[in-house]
């Protein structure tokens, strides 16, 4: 990558940049990034093992590739509604991550997307049709999952959860095993 294993701590990307190539900031000391308004793709392992604590993704981002933010120091995450593709392990091992809001453009949370985010306590889904891949939240200590009005599938071993307090109150939750997935559907009364 362009800045791989450098001591770079802060960078501002111009509006002309549309793609952050794979491994661009891999294993740097990067703590702060300001994205331009045209970023569409964040490549695989682009920010792998950086020191980023705060992440403000612009609404232009459509793709976050595999392991893009693996093992960063992010505390809170908002994935914009513009993001439609989330790669395997995109936020895995982000041990400081407390809360994640998944935008309405995401219809599938791939395997391992948030695995081993040991501090992750709250996840909010904005899309009503979401499938959650195997191990997507494995090793997380989830306390609250907001799945109100959500329909889709939940893979096996999706993660540990102390309480899923936002499952639809007026609906019903139906779980059935079908080809290594647990299917659920919310029905409004």
């Amino acid at each position: 990558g362009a800045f791989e294993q450098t001591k770079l701590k802060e960078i501002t990307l111009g509006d002309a940049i549309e793609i952050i190539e794979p491994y661009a900031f891999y294993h740097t000391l990067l703590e702060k990034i300001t994205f331009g308004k045209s970023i569409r793709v964040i490549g695989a392992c682009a920010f792998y093992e950086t020191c980023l604590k705060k992440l403000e993704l612009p609404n232009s981002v459509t793709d976050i590739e595999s392991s893009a933010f693996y093992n960063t120091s992010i505390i809170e995450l908002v994935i914009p509604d513009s993001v439609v593709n989330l790669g395997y392990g995109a936020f895995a091992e982000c041990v400081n991550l407390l809360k994640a809001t998944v935008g309405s453009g995401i219809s599938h949370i791939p395997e391992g997307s948030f695995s081993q985010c040991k501090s992750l306590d709250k996840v909010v889904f904005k899309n009503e049709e979401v499938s959650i891949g195997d191990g997507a939240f494995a090793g997380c200590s989830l306390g609250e999952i907001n799945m109100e009005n959500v329909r889709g599938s939940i893979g096996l071993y999706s993660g540990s959860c102390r309480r899923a307090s936002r499952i639809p109150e007026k609906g019903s939750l139906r779980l059935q095993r079908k080809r290594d997935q647990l299917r659920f559907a919310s029905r409004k009364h």
Side-chain angles (χ1 to χ4, degrees), residues 124-179:
V124 176
F125 295 98
K126 292 173 69 180
N127 191 335
E128 292 183 5
E129 293 283 339
V130 176
S131 64
I132 300 173
D134 292 352
F137 296 96
C140 298
S141 61
L142 292 172
E144 182 176 334
I145 304 174
N146 184 337
M147 298 178 83
E148 197 166 337
N149 302 319
V150 174
R151 296 176 299 280
S153 64
I154 301 176
L156 296 177
Y157 312 111
S158 288
S160 59
C161 182
R162 292 191 308 269
R163 61 182 162 78
S165 62
R166 294 291 186 149
I167 302 266
E169 295 172 11
K170 295 182 180 178
S172 64
L173 187 64
R174 191 172 26 122
L175 297 172
Q176 71 185 55
R177 187 176 178 115
K178 183 176 181 182
R179 286 219 241 149

Side-chain angles (χ1 to χ4, degrees), residues 4-187:
E4 185 176 332
Q5 297 185 357
T6 65
K7 294 181 181 181
L8 180 69
K9 288 192 174 196
E10 185 174 334
I11 193 165
T12 299
L13 302 178
D15 290 340
I17 297 174
E18 294 182 5
I19 298 172
I20 298 174
E21 295 290 339
Y23 297 93
F25 299 96
Y26 175 86
H27 201 67
T28 65
L29 298 176
L30 189 66
E31 295 175 354
K32 182 179 179 184
I33 185 164
T34 304
F35 293 98
K37 297 175 185 173
S38 301
I39 296 289
R40 291 182 299 103
V41 178
I42 298 174
C45 302
F47 296 95
Y48 190 103
E49 293 188 344
T50 63
C51 299
L52 286 176
K53 290 180 182 169
K54 188 174 182 181
L55 183 62
E56 293 181 20
L57 295 170
N59 289 326
S60 58
V61 176
T62 59
D63 295 88
I64 299 173
E65 295 181 352
S66 297
S67 301
F69 294 95
Y70 178 91
N71 196 20
T72 61
S73 299
I74 299 167
I75 296 170
E76 186 169 335
L77 170 67
V78 176
I79 299 174
D81 294 341
S82 59
V83 176
V84 294
N85 294 311
L86 187 63
Y88 173 86
F91 297 96
E93 301 275 346
C94 291
V95 297
N96 296 321
L97 184 61
L98 299 172
K99 179 183 176 187
T101 301
V102 180
S104 63
I106 299 289
S107 61
H108 178 67
I109 307 293
E111 294 178 24
S113 292
F114 293 92
S115 67
Q116 304 306 315
C117 292
K118 297 182 185 307
S119 300
L120 185 57
D121 185 58
K122 183 174 182 177
V123 179
V124 176
F125 295 98
K126 292 173 69 180
N127 191 335
E128 292 183 5
E129 293 283 339
V130 176
S131 64
I132 300 173
D134 292 352
F137 296 96
C140 298
S141 61
L142 292 172
E144 182 176 334
I145 304 174
N146 184 337
M147 298 178 83
E148 197 166 337
N149 302 319
V150 174
R151 296 176 299 280
S153 64
I154 301 176
L156 296 177
Y157 312 111
S158 288
S160 59
C161 182
R162 292 191 308 269
R163 61 182 162 78
S165 62
R166 294 291 186 149
I167 302 266
E169 295 172 11
K170 295 182 180 178
S172 64
L173 187 64
R174 191 172 26 122
L175 297 172
Q176 71 185 55
R177 187 176 178 115
K178 183 176 181 182
R179 286 219 241 149
D180 293 334
Q181 289 189 344
L182 297 176
R183 300 250 175 228
F184 67 95
S186 169
R187 293 190 314 242

